[in-house]
Amino acid sequence: MMVKRKIIKERIPTPERPVEERLKGFMEVNLGYTFELAVQEAQRCLQCPYEYAPCIKGCPVHIDIPGFIAKLVEYKDEPDRAVKEALRVIWACNTLPATTGRVCPQEDQCEMNCVMGKVGDKVNIGKLERFVADYAREKGIDDELLGEMLPEIEKKEQRVAVIGAGPAGLTCAAELAKDGYHVTVFEALHKPGGVLVYGIPEFRLPNEVVEKELEKLKRLGVEIKVDHIVGKTVTIEELLNRYDAVFIGSGAGTPRLINAPGVNLNGIYTANEFLTRINLMNAYRFPEYDTPIKVGEKVIVIGAGNTAMDAARTARRLGAEVTIAYRRGEEDVTAREEEVEHAKEEGVKFEFFLNPIEFIGDESGRVKAVKFMKMRALEEKDAKGKRKIEPTGETVILEADTVVIAIGKTANRLIVNTPGLEVEGGVIKVDENLMTSIPGVFAGGDAIRGEATVILAMGDGRKAAKAIHEYLQKKAKESA
Amino acid sequence: MYKILEKKEIAMRNIWYKVHAPHIAKKVKPGQFVIVRAFENGERIPLTPVMWDKEEGWIGLVVFTRGKTTLRINTELKEGDSFLNIAGPLGNPAPMEKFGKILAIGLYTGVVEVFPIAKAWQELGNEVHTLHVTFEPMVILKDELEKAVFKHTVETVSIDPNKSFPENMKNVTARAKEKVREMIENLKPDLVFMVGPVGDQKAIFEVVKEYNIPMEVDLHPIMVDGTGMCGACRVHINGEVKFACVDGPSFDAYTVNWDELIARSGYYRDLEMKAMQLYMEKLQAQGGAQ
């Protein structure tokens, strides 16, 4: 007789830091599960079969989700073993689970089709993944597992160059290193991690978590060269002479600006500059850290994506009164729901249907207000399925001494200008195997998509690693 | 980590560093710069390689003490120590063309940027006249420039100890304007090129404009990454927003929105002063700067 499982409808909540405490610093907001809570949540999973499980289909790197969750339940009396076995399952597809567990929009991916959603709350897959990674890191279980995996890697002679140490590049590098290739990553900034270290704030993803996760890559044999700007320090052509294949994961780092008068007034930052100063350079700890930042009393953030939420919540932590101004309506906001909720809890104000048309400055050249055109929504939808908007003719002026522009980014220009590299709409053109117009050169992540998500970039990195592996095997056979 | 092979004071507040950085030495061209981070809690600052050796893999940097980071580098780093990060080469190389007769002007340590460009222009067959205007104890690269170009002129201004540094700087500006006017009258150059503080660049441009001579300037807006990903260094050029780190640093002086650039360059002055002040106090507490 089948054992009848009791269905637990409600999700086990994860503790969060109270708002007053959060606003005092950059400490992580969500505190994550304890082992006991994780096991309780794991027990809610219905264990859909691997071939069918909709959660796996929703994950861009296809982690065996019921598989790792089952390990937590199976070994619930031996926490260390439970975590080790769960991590083994996750690592087969994803080497950066502490990161993805925190920053993936699970509600649009793995959790979107979770069957539990039909009877209650969906299983909290992201937080379970994060728990496994965090517990393993704290107890050194990840090092142990890595130690077991390393001797099994069969070293190959071929060498692969990876451009960009962001989510796409790091994932590609990790997968190729697991296949035994010699991998060298070229990174322009002084720290690897890409958007994980310069963009996403510490209150969502502590830099320490990223650093520890990257140490694993080094143990896998991945070499990371910082201060190397491909296109300047070294060209793709030169890399092709020294490496058997190249992966471009250079991201979408060029900020879009607003073509309005006054855009170069002092106090107007792109979100990239604002967040880089804070996250990468620790400017919020000036003068202990040397990089300065100036945030006034009234900050306007323009845009309503995740970057805008990050900038707004960062500015709140620096003591400012913050308003997000978006040209569309509340239902068109592209940021994750969780981030919007956190922003609201933390006192960020929202103004909708406002499109900036002029930045007004004082006599010293510092911004003091923003003039907006009021917009209205139309029934008609645009190519992306969003409601079209049109100006009403009515304008409004909001005071601000700091403005952060977070309206999106385009592909890195230094890479896009590579001779022979076909580019379409500002992003690198690739075939179904993620190979670019240059044979042996592959690309993925925001460099081919424009601005997307961390996990999609990682999915591309993984897919490209497979394609590179096949390409190199074929190449080796041909030369043999 | 980039090892300091040699460090020496070549003039007041001007320290020369010969640094092991083969990835840059191999690639750098006149007009390009690097971004340096010297300390774990430090900031990223742009500097210009003044000379380099591809084979031996080193670049030469001159660090002028002007704020906390440069003072800290010049105080704390010794021969044998290392810079944590040097990224580059960045920016576009200076255009290597036959312009004819060129007047290349460097104010203060700006002459460091002038040197490699002027030298390359001269080697290409241009008749290059260089002008270095600075305070008396700050003359650098005199012998090197005399050897490298058609004619090198040094104009010095003495420091009046009874006046503040900014007051003294006004004398440099005035002298530079006079001297540039005189040299333009005599030489009738086909191109003027200038590196120096942005206010001085504007002042000199006003003079050059009267003669309607083409003028190129290397701009120095505030930079963070230096690779085009943040836009801190943005400037309006002919009404269009450009990023100096990827579109420059060299621009046609006639197209630059000078007042905007001057305002942007001074945005952090109060915090810069504060950082410097605190560092000086720390040094004093430790028994003074060496």
Side-chain angles (χ1 to χ4, degrees), chain A residues 190 227 229 232-233 238 253 255 263-264 266-270 272-273 286-288 290-291 294 366 413, chain B residues 2 27 41 43-44 68 72 85-86 88-89 91 229-230 232 234 236 247 260 263-264 267-268 270-271:
Chain A
H190 60 267
D227 303 330
I229 303 106
K232 293 282 183 189
T233 317
E238 288 166 318
V263 73
N264 284 4
N266 278 330
I268 304 181
Y269 290 94
T270 66
N272 258 14
E273 182 188 351
F286 178 90
E288 184 198 335
D290 290 337
T291 303
K294 274 196 181 181
R366 179 165 189 174
R413 284 159 60 189
Chain B
Y2 307 91
K27 278 299 169 66
N41 63 345
E43 59 180 342
R44 294 165 65 97
K68 179 183 175 184
R72 196 173 166 202
N85 303 96
I86 305 182
M229 60 159 262
C230 84
R234 63 193 194 268
H236 267 114
D247 300 311
E260 179 186 277
R264 284 185 70 81
Y267 185 48
Y268 292 101
D270 53 340
L271 294 180

Side-chain angles (χ1 to χ4, degrees), chain A residues 13-33:
Chain A
T14 43
E16 280 184 3
R17 225 176 269 283
V19 172
E20 317 77 64
E21 196 186 315
R22 277 188 223 166
L23 288 177
K24 283 184 200 140
F26 284 74
M27 280 172 326
E28 197 171 16
V29 168
N30 191 295
L31 301 168
Y33 282 133

Side-chain angles (χ1 to χ4, degrees), chain A residues 162-416:
Chain A
V162 170
I163 302 167
L170 293 173
T171 302
C172 186
E175 295 302 316
L176 288 166
K178 283 197 269 182
D179 285 338
Y181 293 100
H182 295 267
V183 186
T184 308
V185 183
F186 294 85
E187 167 57 43
L189 291 172
H190 60 267
K191 258 193 201 173
V195 74
L196 308 179
V197 297
Y198 76 73
I200 301 172
E202 300 236 37
F203 53 80
R204 282 216 287 141
L205 176 65
N207 284 347
E208 201 200 336
V209 170
V210 181
E211 268 164 38
K212 288 265 168 63
E213 216 149 41
L214 296 189
E215 278 168 23
K216 309 280 171 293
L217 293 194
K218 287 183 192 161
R219 279 195 67 193
L220 274 171
V222 174
E223 184 195 1
I224 300 180
K225 280 181 189 277
V226 294
D227 303 330
H228 277 66
I229 303 106
V230 175
K232 293 282 183 189
T233 317
V234 60
T235 62
I236 289 180
E237 201 185 355
E238 288 166 318
L239 289 179
L240 276 175
N241 291 332
R242 284 161 35 202
Y243 295 87
D244 298 286
V246 174
F247 174 75
I248 305 173
S250 51
T254 307
R256 275 203 196 101
L257 277 165
I258 294 162
N259 188 15
V263 73
N264 284 4
L265 285 166
N266 278 330
I268 304 181
Y269 290 94
T270 66
N272 258 14
E273 182 188 351
F274 187 76
L275 292 171
T276 298
R277 282 180 184 270
I278 298 286
N279 297 327
L280 183 70
M281 306 310 297
N282 292 308
Y284 65 97
R285 287 162 75 182
F286 178 90
E288 184 198 335
Y289 281 77
D290 290 337
T291 303
I293 190 146
K294 274 196 181 181
V295 178
E297 283 165 18
K298 281 192 174 154
V299 177
I300 291 180
V301 177
I302 296 170
N306 287 317
T307 310
M309 298 307 140
D310 287 345
R313 296 174 64 197
T314 295
R316 280 293 291 141
R317 282 160 173 75
L318 298 170
E321 200 179 285
V322 183
T323 305
I324 283 185
Y326 185 38
R327 63 193 176 122
R328 298 173 188 272
E330 185 152 17
E331 63 226 81
D332 305 301
V333 166
T334 53
R336 289 187 65 190
E337 222 168 281
E338 186 184 341
E339 304 311 324
V340 176
E341 278 317 305
H342 279 149
K344 284 183 180 165
E345 282 167 22
E346 289 164 13
V348 173
K349 281 181 250 163
F350 286 77
E351 292 278 355
F352 296 102
F353 295 110
L354 292 185
N355 197 24
I357 52 169
E358 190 188 344
F359 300 96
I360 302 160
D362 63 17
E363 53 294 329
S364 75
R366 179 165 189 174
V367 70
K368 65 172 184 187
V370 186
K371 189 175 184 180
F372 293 93
M373 172 62 70
K374 285 194 177 178
M375 309 299 283
R376 72 169 148 248
L378 301 171
E379 291 296 317
E380 209 184 326
K381 303 242 164 113
D382 67 10
K384 284 181 184 162
K386 281 186 175 177
R387 291 179 301 168
K388 282 189 177 174
I389 46 170
E390 64 169 17
T392 60
E394 196 186 332
T395 60
V396 59
I397 291 176
L398 298 183
E399 275 179 39
D401 42 27
T402 307
V403 175
V404 181
I405 300 174
I407 59 163
K409 288 169 261 180
T410 57
N412 180 300
R413 284 159 60 189
L414 294 177
I415 296 284
V416 165

Side-chain angles (χ1 to χ4, degrees), chain B residues 7 23 39 42 47 72 103 129 147 216 221 234 240 259:
Chain B
K7 172 180 179 175
H23 67 306
F39 307 102
L47 291 172
R72 196 173 166 202
L103 171 59
H129 297 255
K147 263 182 248 159
E216 283 283 320
R234 63 193 194 268
E240 249 183 84
D259 294 335

Side-chain angles (χ1 to χ4, degrees), chain B:
Chain B
M1 301 277 270
Y2 307 91
K3 197 172 176 186
I4 298 168
L5 307 170
E6 195 179 286
K7 172 180 179 175
K8 63 180 178 203
E9 187 171 8
I10 53 171
M12 185 181 128
R13 290 169 68 182
N14 283 275
I15 314 292
W16 152 268
Y17 296 88
K18 183 173 159 184
V19 189
H20 180 73
H23 67 306
I24 292 165
K26 214 161 114 186
K27 278 299 169 66
V28 63
K29 292 199 168 69
Q32 292 188 298
F33 64 94
V34 295
I35 294 266
V36 174
R37 194 176 72 114
F39 307 102
E40 211 36 75
N41 63 345
E43 59 180 342
R44 294 165 65 97
I45 60 162
L47 291 172
T48 303
V50 55
M51 45 189 89
W52 48 86
D53 190 308
K54 228 183 242 202
E55 271 71 50
E56 293 175 18
W58 58 264
I59 59 170
L61 301 170
V62 177
V63 178
F64 172 65
T65 303
R66 55 179 291 176
K68 179 183 175 184
T69 295
T70 49
L71 174 63
R72 196 173 166 202
I73 288 172
N74 290 343
T75 308
E76 293 179 21
L77 293 186
K78 311 267 178 293
E79 221 168 78
D81 288 348
S82 294
F83 286 99
L84 286 182
N85 303 96
I86 305 182
L90 294 162
N92 293 311
M96 283 301 135
E97 288 167 41
K98 270 197 152 181
F99 296 101
K101 210 184 276 179
I102 301 171
L103 171 59
I105 309 154
L107 258 60
Y108 310 100
T109 308
V111 77
V112 162
E113 268 179 79
V114 171
F115 174 74
I117 298 172
K119 183 169 179 270
W121 276 341
Q122 181 70 36
E123 282 164 5
L124 208 70
N126 291 289
E127 183 185 315
V128 182
H129 297 255
T130 45
L131 169 66
H132 185 201
V133 190
T134 190
F135 294 117
E136 244 159 27
M138 290 190 188
V139 175
I140 52 171
L141 299 171
K142 184 170 175 279
D143 297 345
E144 289 84 351
L145 271 160
E146 275 172 358
K147 263 182 248 159
V149 301
F150 186 81
K151 191 171 188 312
H152 179 55
T153 308
V154 179
E155 272 296 299
T156 57
V157 174
S158 53
I159 302 174
D160 182 344
N162 298 318
K163 282 186 182 157
S164 70
F165 205 75
E167 282 300 314
N168 273 297
M169 286 175 76
K170 282 183 188 161
N171 296 334
V172 174
T173 310
R175 179 69 61 82
K177 278 165 74 176
E178 277 166 34
K179 194 66 196 175
V180 167
R181 187 177 293 280
E182 181 195 315
M183 287 180 85
I184 288 176
E185 299 266 0
N186 289 336
L187 295 172
K188 310 253 180 298
D190 301 295
L191 176 74
V192 176
F193 171 68
M194 184 195 168
V195 184
V198 62
D200 290 321
Q201 285 181 316
K202 188 190 174 195
I204 299 291
F205 166 64
E206 301 289 346
V207 175
V208 176
K209 199 166 76 173
E210 288 175 37
Y211 297 88
N212 208 20
I213 298 167
M215 180 172 177
E216 283 283 320
V217 278
D218 262 16
L219 299 184
H220 298 128
I222 291 168
M223 285 188 190
V224 182
D225 63 284
T227 64
M229 60 159 262
C230 84
C233 67
R234 63 193 194 268
V235 285
H236 267 114
I237 300 292
N238 254 342
E240 249 183 84
V241 175
K242 298 280 180 195
F243 292 3
C245 70
V246 288
D247 300 311
S250 176
F251 293 98
D252 176 353
Y254 290 81
T255 64
V256 177
N257 182 335
W258 289 106
D259 294 335
E260 179 186 277
L261 184 60
I262 289 169
R264 284 185 70 81
S265 302
Y267 185 48
Y268 292 101
R269 194 145 296 147
D270 53 340
L271 294 180
E272 286 162 6
M273 298 287 280
K274 184 178 165 193
M276 179 76 161
Q277 191 73 34
L278 287 169
Y279 185 66
M280 299 275 273
E281 281 164 20
K282 194 180 139 200
L283 283 182
Q284 273 156 10
Q286 284 171 0
Q290 278 115 43

